[in-house]
Amino acid sequence: MNRFLVAAVAAAAVVAAAATPARAAAVPGAATATFTKQSAWATGYTGQYTIDNGTPAPLTWRVEFDLPGGTTIANAWGASITHSGNHYVALGESWNAVVAPGGNATFGWLAQGTGGPLNCSLNGASCAGAADIRPPSTPGRLRTSIGTNSFTLRWDASGDDTGVRAYEVYSGAALVATVTGTEYTMPTPPPAIITYRVRALDAAGNASPFAVITPGGPADTVAPGAPPAVYPGLTVIRWTAATDDVAVAGYDVYVNGEHYGATSSLSLTVPPLGFGEFTYKVVAFDGAGNRSEPRSVSVAVDPGPTSDSSRPTVPGDLRVSVSATQVTWSWTASADNVGVAGYQLFHGPDWIGDTTATTFAEPRAAGQTVFGIRVRAFDPTGNKSAFATLTVVLDPPPPVP
């Protein structure tokens, strides 16, 4: 691995200047990295990436890209850049490593050679700003407190890959408030058994399952009914609402036995699944954890006689490195007759995202000691490799003094 020193590029080094294209505005709800070739000459150029944070949460960025053979980076600024062969990794410096919501950061380099960057990824996702399709997690520990003339709902914050935008608070079937914090106070309700629900929303409008509480109500032991119908699509799965004696909290969505998410909405967007035979299954659940029977439908998507039907090879050497706060996955690249488009990442049966890189970093969950990870490659047609799998065993974190 080589490391490049920060250096200023003198204007006198520029033999011929290229026009600088206008930079696109930040994609709402997404983070993007946009490359601009600022100046060019016969044997090199200066170029710059701009990282725009269109998400509602601070962004700690990592940009990866490839340079064609014959092009190398002579000097860089605004980032710590390392490389292995023609694959480059850029990490922010102390002053620009974290980008505030709506903000941006830049880094660039002086290149020897004329090839621009290829296969760019930002924190494992496309630099173009892949759509956010993962719902937030369910708000935790919904609870109540009663004041002299007030009634307060409190909950623990939901998690989300791009950040939670707001929480919706329901009394019975009625939406009574949308808040950005983790509590809501209302006048003391009349004496009655009322069910309250809270769900999280992200900037893309993805909705978590509901947290549900019925103060003074009996234990809920009755499962919801199954959703009456499921309508599959290549990227959007829809279904009709289930019913429950208290309230439906949400729906778990599976494709060929793999869990693609949980939501309180009546649809879920999944990554493109490609061609083949698929069984879509939706299960309703309530706030007590009672689960309905699944509603399933199977379809076959025919690629046609001229389509690519070759599967990528299995990702190799799946491994992890661990710190006190982070678990980083790494693997060697798959091969494909057309080209690998990306990799799907799973915790056990649960899909957690796609990446175009061969690494993925996630926070280390509190108390996490043993878990399974799976990675598979896919090509532009949607053909998928078999899984690379690994069971990760972590030492328990040291006790807090």
Side-chain angles (χ1 to χ4, degrees):
M1 301 281 280
N2 296 324
R3 189 177 186 86
F4 300 103
L5 299 176
V6 174
V9 179
V14 179
V15 176
T20 301
R23 183 171 60 83
V27 177
T32 62
T34 305
F35 179 74
T36 304
K37 187 176 284 188
Q38 298 171 307
S39 303
W41 52 98
T43 59
Y45 65 88
T46 59
Q48 176 174 283
Y49 265 111
T50 301
I51 297 100
D52 282 298
N53 183 12
T55 78
L59 174 73
T60 300
W61 56 269
R62 173 191 178 104
V63 174
E64 300 189 38
F65 55 90
D66 298 323
L67 288 178
T71 299
T72 60
I73 294 178
N75 293 296
W77 57 92
S80 171
I81 302 182
T82 57
H83 81 104
S84 178
N86 68 338
H87 185 73
Y88 291 77
V89 178
L91 300 174
E93 300 286 7
S94 59
W95 66 87
N96 69 350
V98 180
V99 183
N104 63 70
T106 61
F107 73 94
W109 62 81
L110 167 65
Q112 293 179 340
T114 59
L118 306 169
N119 306 320
C120 178
S121 68
L122 172 59
N123 291 355
S126 168
C127 283
D132 175 19
I133 60 175
R134 291 179 60 194
S137 63
T138 308
R141 295 196 313 129
L142 181 58
R143 53 205 184 271
T144 65
S145 63
I146 300 174
T148 304
N149 295 300
S150 64
F151 177 80
T152 299
L153 293 167
R154 293 186 175 89
W155 56 91
D156 294 344
S158 296
D160 187 68
D161 55 338
T162 63
V164 171
R165 174 179 60 84
Y167 297 90
E168 290 184 336
V169 181
Y170 289 76
S171 174
L175 173 64
V176 296
T178 300
V179 299
T180 57
T182 55
E183 65 177 59
Y184 174 69
T185 299
M186 65 188 84
T188 302
I193 295 178
I194 301 173
T195 296
Y196 299 94
R197 299 176 295 152
V198 177
R199 68 178 178 180
L201 304 175
D202 64 21
N206 301 306
S208 77
F210 282 105
V212 181
I213 191 170
T214 307
D220 180 8
T221 60
V222 179
V230 174
Y231 305 101
L234 289 178
T235 58
V236 179
I237 304 168
R238 305 180 189 278
W239 55 92
T240 50
T243 58
D244 185 68
D245 61 326
V246 177
V248 172
Y251 303 88
D252 279 316
V253 180
Y254 302 84
V255 182
N256 289 352
E258 292 159 352
H259 184 234
Y260 275 86
T263 180
S264 54
S265 299
L266 296 179
S267 66
L268 183 74
T269 301
V270 299
L273 299 172
F275 302 109
E277 296 181 356
F278 303 100
T279 297
Y280 301 82
K281 182 173 72 175
V282 180
V283 178
F285 56 90
D286 62 23
N290 303 305
R291 297 172 64 81
S292 76
E293 293 296 317
R295 181 69 65 192
S296 301
V297 62
S298 296
V299 298
V301 182
D302 186 354
T306 61
S307 294
D308 170 36
S309 59
S310 297
R311 301 172 68 185
T313 61
V314 181
D317 191 23
L318 180 58
R319 58 204 183 275
V320 298
S321 60
V322 182
S323 71
T325 59
Q326 184 170 276
V327 178
T328 301
W329 312 11
S330 303
W331 57 92
T332 55
S334 297
D336 186 72
N337 63 316
V338 175
V340 172
Y343 300 88
Q344 288 189 324
L345 312 174
F346 289 79
H347 273 169
D350 299 325
W351 175 75
I352 61 171
D354 290 357
T355 179
T356 58
T358 55
T359 61
F360 172 72
E362 61 177 337
R364 180 174 176 176
Q368 188 179 48
T369 55
V370 180
F371 59 99
I373 63 174
R374 301 190 296 160
V375 179
R376 68 181 176 189
F378 61 93
D379 66 17
T381 307
N383 300 304
K384 300 177 183 67
S385 74
F387 279 105
T389 63
L390 181 68
T391 298
V392 180
V393 180
L394 304 179
D395 291 331
V400 178

